[in-house]
Amino acid sequence: MINPLSLSPSCLIESLEFGDEAQPMLVVDDCLADPHAVVAIAARHDYRPIGPFYPGVRAAVSERVAMQLVKPLLATMQNIFQLNAPPTFFECFLSIVTTPPQKLAPIQRLPHFDGVEPERVAVLLYLDRAERGGTAFYRQRGTAYESVTAERYDEYQINLDRAAARSGMPEARYICGDTAQFERVMAINGRFNRMVAYRGNVLHCADLHGDFIPDPNPLTGRLTLNLFLIAPPG
């Protein structure tokens, strides 16, 4: 039986760079042969909040299932992300944004990073048929950082705390464009059946417009598959 997450042989693959740091990104359009079947499978999962950061609910996906999505691309990822070895599985979730803007926690109103290691790779597959928002990437105004490493972390946090003390936390809404603390560098559209991969230590967040209304139904809500990979450090 063919894994429904297997990469389609007719997918379109391109790589690009963004921002002053020339961060690499891999974009795969028409990623799955039958994305609607994957959405139907996702609807049979049980979802729950996992961790304090994601503004919604998630269902875990096994390594055996998830890695079929990227198996043909691991050598390409090793090259474009300048890794010492092909990245391996860290964790994977089906995710649905369900939190109303007015109920967002302060940390959810800011761009974030998945970890300080440049060897982390985030893989995001858009499965929302209504295509309600993609992913945006940001630069911290006080430091001009577009990514956060272990060496940059303290300065990044100091600038974040100073800005919050000066002007308070952002209002309770999803980020869409520039803010007082962060400048948007680039945004990728959340096209249905599009997959993107980028370093997990870049500043990023979901790019959701002001009229976004959360929908908890996997068949009709903002559903994504979030696969996280990691390679040995340099």
Side-chain angles (χ1 to χ4, degrees):
M1 180 178 177
I2 297 175
N3 186 321
L5 282 179
S6 295
L7 199 67
S8 170
S10 60
C11 67
L12 304 173
I13 303 171
E14 69 169 322
S15 60
L16 54 88
E17 294 181 341
F18 63 93
D20 292 343
E21 295 181 4
Q23 290 287 344
M25 174 181 287
L26 187 67
V27 181
V28 183
D29 281 320
D30 302 323
C31 181
L32 304 176
D34 190 353
H36 299 284
V38 173
V39 174
I41 293 169
R44 299 199 294 266
H45 283 65
D46 293 322
Y47 293 81
R48 62 183 177 86
I50 298 178
F53 303 117
Y54 184 75
V57 292
R58 287 179 149 171
V61 179
S62 71
E63 177 179 358
R64 177 184 61 83
V65 172
M67 288 303 288
Q68 290 302 309
L69 180 65
V70 294
K71 186 176 180 180
L73 299 173
L74 294 178
T76 300
M77 290 183 180
Q78 179 182 356
N79 181 46
I80 73 167
F81 295 114
Q82 302 174 13
L83 305 172
N84 285 336
T88 58
F89 181 86
F90 185 74
E91 60 184 354
C92 184
F93 303 100
L94 288 161
S95 308
I96 311 170
V97 176
T98 59
T99 305
Q102 65 272 19
K103 293 187 177 181
L104 290 171
I107 194 66
Q108 295 169 335
R109 307 171 201 167
L110 299 167
H112 67 277
F113 52 96
D114 303 323
V116 297
E117 306 91 343
E119 297 84 15
R120 286 181 181 260
V121 177
V123 179
L124 180 59
L125 174 62
Y126 300 103
L127 293 170
D128 176 11
R129 287 178 280 213
E131 300 185 351
R132 284 160 293 195
T135 304
F137 300 85
Y138 285 84
R139 177 187 303 117
Q140 188 183 42
R141 294 185 187 274
T143 60
Y145 292 161
E146 296 170 4
S147 60
V148 180
T149 62
E151 295 76 18
R152 290 180 170 186
Y153 178 81
D154 287 346
E155 188 175 1
Y156 170 83
Q157 191 62 50
I158 288 170
N159 273 266
L160 196 65
D161 292 343
R162 285 175 177 168
R166 182 172 59 250
S167 56
M169 292 299 295
E171 63 180 289
R173 63 179 179 85
Y174 285 100
I175 308 164
C176 184
D178 294 348
T179 72
Q181 297 185 34
F182 294 92
E183 177 185 3
R184 186 164 71 175
V185 173
M186 192 269 277
I188 188 87
N189 290 331
R191 177 180 173 183
F192 181 63
N193 201 24
R194 166 177 283 172
M195 183 177 76
V196 296
Y198 48 88
R199 288 193 180 113
N201 72 334
V202 297
L203 291 164
H204 63 279
C205 66
D207 193 40
L208 302 176
H209 297 285
D211 59 355
F212 174 76
I213 300 174
D215 179 353
N217 187 340
L219 294 173
T220 54
R222 188 184 184 273
L223 174 68
T224 58
L225 183 136
N226 303 75
L227 170 61
F228 301 94
L229 309 172
I230 196 162

